[in-house]
Amino acid sequence: MADTTPPPAEAIEAQKAFDAAVAECQRISDSLPSSVAIAAGEVTVTDEQKTELEAARTARMDALKALLAVKRWEGDGGPKEAEAALRKAARDG
């Protein structure tokens, strides 16, 4: 792999925010009743749960837009290298 310029701080923070938003969506999704139980009519998803998940999904989309705005930088080595460097910097640091 060729030497590349490390990701700028704002790109690392954007990746961290996106990772956190993804994790929050997963946490909420995991807390919902199973689709089998819902289909069987045993439980329902409450309006509060729906609202919480929708808000988390909106936050995730906003974080993705912010990440895409800063995902590339001068000397990043190309799209694949930039993505790998950014993920590594955000998750290791």
Side-chain angles (χ1 to χ4, degrees), residues 26-82:
Q26 187 63 53
R27 183 196 66 77
I28 293 167
S29 180
D30 289 346
S31 73
L32 296 175
S34 79
S35 57
V36 173
I38 294 169
E42 298 168 357
V43 294
T44 60
V45 177
T46 67
D47 287 341
E48 182 179 285
Q49 290 170 315
K50 290 175 187 176
T51 300
E52 182 182 26
L53 183 57
E54 183 60 32
R57 286 176 172 168
T58 298
R60 181 181 60 190
M61 182 58 70
D62 292 345
L64 176 59
K65 289 175 184 176
L67 175 60
L68 291 174
V70 295
K71 195 167 189 168
R72 300 294 308 275
W73 59 95
E74 177 108 19
D76 64 12
K80 290 181 183 178
E81 292 80 2

